[in-house]
Amino acid sequence: MAAQRILVTGAAGFMGSHLVDLLVSQGHDVFGVDDMSGGFWRNVNPHSSFTKLDLRHKEQVATYIDEVKPSLIYHLAADATEGRSQFTPVTCTERNLMAYLHTLVPATRNGLRKVVLTSSMSVYGAQTPPFDEEMPTMPEDVYGVSKTAMEKTTQILSKVHGFDYVIVRPHNVYGPRQNIADPYRNVIGIFINSLLNGKGFYIYGDGEQRRAFTYIDDFTPYIARAGFDEGCNGQIINVGPNDEVTINKLAELVLDRFYDGGPIPDHVQPKYLPPRPMEVRDAYCTDDKAARLLGYHTTIDLQRGVQEMIGWAKQLGPQTPRYMEEGLELTTAETPVTWTKRLI
Ligand SMILES: NC(=O)c1ccc[n+]([C@@H]2O[C@H](COP(=O)([O-])OP(=O)(O)OC[C@H]3O[C@@H](n4cnc5c(N)ncnc54)[C@H](O)[C@@H]3O)[C@@H](O)[C@H]2O)c1
């Protein structure tokens, strides 16, 4: 594998930092950026060239890209708070679509060869799962709209300006280094952190909504490979398992593993709240294309993955939830009380 100048955005975040570790271990020259809004210094790989940079700042990003001249970009930086995006549409769009364009445009001017864009299965919206890549994009929330716009813009600019691309659509990735202090997203992390804080957790809706979950080690090798495998160029690929589970079953599993199969205190049993606005009921994908193009297969099932994540989180210890300091951009009667009353 020829060494490349690789830029990973969101490099101090959960998935970005695991990707940097793998690429560094493969001998690549890896540059990472992150503004630390959701990332942690403890995640930064000391053998990568890391710069704290907010990709919303167009001029600073252009100067940085002019210096680094990456040949390959893995774009993971994002505001990925899907459920909150209806209440923070400006932040979501700036941190997703605009931050991406601020990176992609100067990189294109500087000879970019390929971009791997981390999109999301939110682009499928409320269609009937399992979602496959032939389905149209029909996002139901602002986050999904931003990811759809990023996908389409990539395809258009690739045609006009000649760089290659791969779009990956992960689903519910979890594991060590996930930001469990985020009260707005990452259901497994929220459940675990609530238990670490000696509290129960909340379920939006009746808990019978179905999702599929991907352990981080079953994601990182495949996104890495997408950057180098010419056979993936110009493709959109779901990356994640097709085994789905209800949120109620997930809650049972987390409680069981957290208390090692022993008695579960009454006060931590889940409490139910109304569904979040625009949240789709069932969302999971087929993994046929990922299996065919990337050799994707699940190696760590939910039971084991949750066990691993709980072990890591117990070592990390309870985290104080990090609410948006500046508050939500919009609030209505439908805004989850978990956020307005800071219940998590
Ligand atoms: N975790 C999942 O389940 C999941 C599922 C589908 C898609 N994704 C996508 O995968 C990517 C990584 O997600 P993650 O779970 O690792 O989230 P994460 O929050 O841990 O990582 C994202 C990183 O981007 C950084 N960031 C945000 N805005 C920035 C800006 N303006 N400039 C520079 N850095 C900025 C944050 O500080 C954070 O470290 C995101 O694009 C997300 O939308 C994640």
Side-chain angles (χ1 to χ4, degrees):
M1 209 184 281
Q4 303 221 38
R5 279 172 87 77
I6 301 175
L7 172 63
V8 176
T9 69
F14 165 50
M15 290 152 64
S17 67
H18 282 279
L19 176 61
V20 171
D21 288 357
L22 179 62
L23 294 169
V24 165
S25 76
Q26 290 173 342
H28 296 291
D29 206 0
V30 184
F31 295 81
V33 293
D34 200 298
D35 74 341
M36 311 312 277
S37 57
F40 296 91
W41 287 103
R42 63 175 182 258
N43 292 346
V44 173
N45 185 303
H47 304 293
S48 65
S49 307
F50 181 80
T51 304
K52 185 177 176 211
L53 180 65
D54 186 338
L55 299 176
R56 292 175 300 177
H57 299 152
K58 185 178 161 192
E59 311 303 335
Q60 287 173 21
V61 181
T63 304
Y64 173 82
I65 297 281
D66 285 348
E67 278 167 23
V68 172
K69 300 190 191 312
S71 55
L72 172 60
I73 296 179
Y74 290 92
H75 184 75
L76 289 96
D79 169 3
T81 51
E82 181 173 2
R84 195 193 66 196
S85 62
Q86 287 54 257
F87 304 99
T88 53
V90 178
T91 302
C92 177
T93 307
E94 286 177 350
R95 286 190 180 274
N96 293 341
L97 180 61
M98 293 316 296
Y100 178 52
L101 292 181
H102 291 165
T103 311
L104 187 62
V105 170
T108 304
R109 284 199 299 264
N110 279 282
L112 177 71
R113 195 184 60 75
K114 181 164 171 175
V115 62
V116 179
L117 171 65
T118 312
S119 180
S120 158
M121 80 172 161
S122 62
V123 302
Y124 294 112
Q127 298 177 80
T128 305
F131 306 137
D132 75 58
E133 296 86 345
E134 297 301 312
M135 288 176 161
T137 47
M138 298 176 72
E140 288 272 306
D141 54 50
V142 174
Y143 171 73
V145 168
S146 74
K147 291 289 185 182
T148 304
M150 291 163 77
E151 288 192 0
K152 304 272 185 220
T153 307
T154 304
Q155 291 171 321
I156 293 165
L157 296 186
S158 158
K159 256 191 208 155
V160 176
H161 300 287
F163 58 79
D164 289 319
Y165 73 87
V166 183
I167 292 167
V168 295
R169 292 176 177 163
H171 22 133
N172 296 311
V173 186
Y174 69 101
R177 295 191 194 164
Q178 187 151 56
N179 180 5
I180 62 171
D182 191 333
Y184 304 105
R185 69 181 277 248
N186 303 328
V187 60
I188 298 179
I190 289 177
F191 285 0
I192 294 173
N193 194 39
S194 297
L195 297 175
L196 285 172
N197 279 296
K199 302 199 292 190
F201 47 78
Y202 294 88
I203 290 178
Y204 302 107
D206 64 4
E208 287 304 298
Q209 57 272 47
R210 303 182 85 81
R211 296 285 184 274
F213 294 88
T214 312
Y215 191 69
I216 184 68
D217 292 354
D218 282 336
F219 175 76
T220 311
Y222 302 107
I223 186 173
R225 184 168 167 194
F228 297 93
D229 193 325
E230 302 285 309
C232 297
N233 289 354
Q235 298 291 332
I236 296 178
I237 312 172
N238 298 332
V239 179
N242 52 12
D243 314 319
E244 85 276 11
V245 65
T246 65
I247 297 300
N248 285 330
K249 285 275 172 227
L250 176 72
E252 269 175 38
L253 174 61
V254 171
L255 284 166
D256 179 67
R257 295 294 84 220
F258 192 88
Y259 292 102
D260 285 327
I264 295 163
D266 278 349
H267 76 277
V268 301
Q269 289 296 346
K271 297 181 236 353
Y272 290 82
L273 290 170
R276 291 182 294 188
M278 307 310 289
E279 186 158 352
V280 302
R281 175 125 187 120
D282 297 321
Y284 48 93
C285 296
T286 63
D287 59 7
D288 297 351
K289 190 170 179 183
R292 195 161 26 88
L293 292 182
L294 294 171
Y296 174 83
H297 60 284
T298 304
T299 62
I300 297 171
D301 65 15
L302 191 59
Q303 177 104 359
R304 190 171 141 217
V306 164
Q307 179 83 56
E308 295 282 334
M309 184 163 169
I310 287 174
W312 165 81
K314 281 186 173 173
Q315 282 202 334
L316 184 70
Q319 304 295 301
T320 304
R322 278 171 34 179
Y323 289 90
M324 280 183 97
E325 272 172 34
E326 61 277 29
L328 302 172
E329 292 158 15
L330 294 166
T331 45
T332 68
E334 288 191 80
T335 310
V337 288
T338 43
W339 305 339
T340 50
K341 297 196 174 154
R342 303 198 168 191
L343 298 181
I344 291 174

